[in-house]
Structure formats: C-alpha cells, structure tokens
Amino acid sequence: MKRKLQNTTSKLWSAAAIVILLLLWQIVSAAGWVPDYMLPSPVDVVKAFISEFPLLMENARVTLAEAFLGLASGVVLGFVMAVLMDRFGRLYQALYPLVVITQTIPTVAIAPLLVLWFGYEMLPKVILIVIVTFFPITVGLLNGFKSADKDMMNLMRSMGAGNLQIFRYIKLPGAMSYFFASLRISASYAVVGAVISEWLGGFNGLGVYMTRVKKAFSFDKMFAVILLISAISLLLMKLVDLIQRKCMPWENKK
Amino acid sequence: MAELKVSNVSKSFDGKKILEDISIEIHENELVSLLGVSGGGKTTLFNVISGLISPDSGSVSLDGEDITSRPGNVSYMLQKDLLLPYRTVEDNVALPLLIKGEKKKAAREKVQPYFAEFGLEGTQKKYPAQLSGGMRQRAALLRTYMFSDRLALLDEPFSALDTLTKSAMHKWYLNVMEQIHLSTVFITHDIDEAILLSDRIYILGGTPGRIVDEIRIEEKKPRREDFNLTEEFLRYKRRILSKI
C-alpha cells in the first residue's frame, strides 16, 4: 500500500516536470522570442499531429513492421549466439571481438551501403536493425549465463543432471532478468534504427516522412513525428515490462 | 536406506595433501556426523562421496556398488539452501525427479505427500523468497530426500541459522527422521549439534585430515528434550574437545 502511494507521488513529480516544461515552451513560442518556423509551439505540434494523423499512422505501420521484424530476428540471433558462445569457450574467444567491432561501426555509415547492396525495400532496414539489436541481447544473456550459481550447478550435477538440464533449469531462467533488461534497450534501438535507415533511402515509413517534412520546413510536422516516435519507443518498453512481469511471476512476490 | 563405505580415501590439491587415508562406514538408517574445524577437509570428503571430485586413491561404495567419481547416486544439502528463486517450492522439491526424466505433473504429485511430513504444508505454491530461512532449509532437505531416500549428505545445513531457529530445526529434524528412514552423513563444526543428532561421530583432525576418533552416542532416540543438559552429554563433549 505504502509502496503504491510512493509510486503515485513519484509519478506525480515527473508529470509535473513535463507539464512545466511544456508550459515554458508554450510561453516562449507565444511571446514570439523564437520565430514560429524555427520552434513551433506545443499547441501547433498537437494540431499538426491531429491533421497529419492518418498519414502518420500509415507511415508508422511500415516503420513498426520493420522494427518488429528486425527486433525479432535480432533477438533470435542474439539468443543463439549467446547460447553457443556460452557452451563453446573457443567460439566465445573467436566471436566476442567481432561482435564488439560490429557495434563500433556507426549506423549512419553502413545504412547507405546496405541500401546499395539490398535496395530500397525492407530488407536493408531489417538487417540494420538486426545489427543494432542483437548485441545487447547477446551480451546480456552471456552475463546472465555466467552469473549462474556454481554451487547450484554442482548440486544439479550431483543429482545426475546433464548440460542441457543445467541450461534449462538453471542458466536460462537465471538469465531472464538480464534478457529483459537487454530487450528493453534493443526495443528502443529497433525503432530508432528503423527511422535512421529510412532517412537514408526508402519509399515510406516515419523516417521518410521526417525527411520530407524537414525539406518542406514544416517543423510542426517534424515535431509531431518526433513525438510519435518517442511514444512508440515508450510503448514498446512498457510492452517489454508487461511481458517480463508475465514471464517472471516470482519477481512480483518478493 | 543404504550402507555407505568410504575406504582409504586420500586427496591432494596442488601438491598439498587434504585428506589422508580416510575410512568411514555409515550403516543403514544411521546418522553419522563428521566433526572437524573449518577448512579441515570435510567438504572435500563430501565432494568425494558425492562423486563430484575423484580421490587420488581409495574408493567409495554404496550398498556394495562402487560409486567412486560417479555423481548421481547421493545428493547433498548445503548451508546455502540453493533453492531456485524462480521455481515454486513444490517445483524446487520436484526438481530431482524432473532430472531423472519424470513428467512435470507426475513429479508434482509425487512430492505432495511429503509436505505435511516435513512441516511444509501450505508452502507448495510459494516462492523461496517468501519463506523464512528455517523453512527454506526444510524445503532443501525435502528436495535432497526426493532425490534419494538411500543416503543424504548434509554439509552444515543449519549453521547459517540463528541460535533459536537452529534449535527448533534440530527438534524438527529429529522428528522428521523418526518418520522417514534415511542414512545420513552430517558435516558440522558444532559439537553440541553433533552430539544431539548423531548415532556416531567421526572426528576429522590434523593436516592433512585424518579420522582421529570415533564416538558412539549411546543415548536412545528419540532423545529427551534436556539431553544436552545432562552429565553424559558433557562427558561426550569433553572427550571430543580433547581430540580437536
């Protein structure tokens, strides 16, 4: 009960901060300190959001499809790699540096190359998202597997458990919280990755829409799409939280 | 119930001898304590018996069958309960059965009757984090028993508990052991605990560890409440102290 109350008050504070920020922004715009075309007021942004809503949704569908497809493939790839690298020490030594290197290459630099190789359709975008999302999953899961209690594994061995059973009963469930922490990061990367890849070539999607309104200097629409992208990322993270709570019931019972 | 025989076991680590020529026997339905100072090789001997490490020489046999370096025959329980936080108590207890290849539902059904016997009624659907330390140790012992009703190895199972909980656990333990029949090796550095619970005590001493004495506790079971306040109890304790 007390915890719930604390939760509500902490939410109250963050809501207040956002409201105050929006108010300040509205005042700055309304007073004319910054010209409208450079910084549209929150009210203008909301208006643009409403008038552009059908178009935004149409583009969002494309971006979301790419993000989901990319994230799902990234999670599968990340999972498989983590399992193999945990099981085979040599594979870990061989692949770990490579995996790290893939993350040092700037996304913006490879996106045009992917477009060049795979065209303007969905494939290059999905590939880019896979590249950015598998990494947190692999690293998170590897840490999770490594954190498995040695005594527990010994006890399981003494009961005659094989590697597969130790994986199933100890390593995998023990790595769940690591997995979900990574999934939250990957989910937000997926949306941002999709938008970035759309900037650099494509026919529709929020990124394409963004470039278009930017070229038209419609900053109110620009802000509207930014708002939508943030909202989508937040919703995805919430969704991950929800799935986590479903998958890890023991966490809620402490 | 089973008979365990450890014959002439020696073990070194990095050239340092930990155990030298250890021979012990546990008869059917007997509770035997291994008493010794911390770091005296008790846990090494334990791992040899459970088959997790191989002795340099010597052998371990259970009911005449050689189980040296072969895990999967005897289970053990440690000071840490090692219950999996993400499984309910019943699923933790059923784990040994799942490892043996039983179906989840059958395993769950099989463990149910023991909850009452082990004083764990009502905890089936709870998670370990919702239980007290004493209750978690009970669940851990039940899991050990579900793995094997032949021989249990208990490595300082109650030493992480506070004094009051510990003595409540001793009473509970003696009680449970009246109902189930289980040959038990009990490791401890607590002399009172050893005298209170054991049929026999081996004292492990010196470096490398050797069996320096073997004491039979003649007091019949179930033991009276104030056994640890009697003159005999003190006599046993004096004898043990003179050897350690």
Side-chain angles (χ1 to χ4, degrees), chain B residues 44-55:
Chain B
T44 306
L45 180 56
F46 231 56
N47 287 332
V48 169
I49 296 174
S50 65
L52 286 174
I53 61 178
S54 305

Side-chain angles (χ1 to χ4, degrees), chain B residues 34-48:
Chain B
L34 267 173
L35 187 64
V37 289
S38 301
K42 294 185 304 247
T43 301
T44 306
L45 180 56
F46 231 56
N47 287 332
V48 169

Side-chain angles (χ1 to χ4, degrees), chain A residues 46 59 87 99 102 117 184:
Chain A
V46 172
N59 285 301
R87 179 70 187 79
V99 168
T102 62
W117 294 333
R184 283 168 64 117

Side-chain angles (χ1 to χ4, degrees), chain A residues 218-239:
Chain A
S218 319
F219 285 147
D220 51 344
K221 291 176 187 164
M222 182 86 173
F223 272 97
V225 67
I226 292 174
L227 185 76
L228 181 60
I229 292 169
S230 299
I232 290 174
S233 292
L234 281 176
L235 277 176
L236 272 178
M237 283 178 157
K238 259 276 173 281
L239 187 68

Side-chain angles (χ1 to χ4, degrees), chain B residues 42-104:
Chain B
K42 294 185 304 247
T43 301
T44 306
L45 180 56
F46 231 56
N47 287 332
V48 169
I49 296 174
S50 65
L52 286 174
I53 61 178
S54 305
D56 298 335
S57 61
S59 68
V60 182
S61 74
L62 189 65
D63 283 337
E65 183 195 356
D66 184 30
I67 58 162
T68 319
S69 327
R70 277 174 45 202
N73 292 291
V74 292
S75 178
Y76 60 85
M77 168 181 168
L78 305 180
Q79 182 181 330
K80 286 200 285 178
D81 56 71
L82 296 180
L83 295 171
L84 298 170
Y86 36 80
R87 296 179 83 87
T88 56
V89 173
E90 64 176 359
D91 284 347
N92 263 293
V93 169
L95 195 61
L97 302 176
L98 295 179
I99 292 173
K100 284 178 186 166
E102 290 205 33
K103 292 268 174 297
K104 197 173 182 175

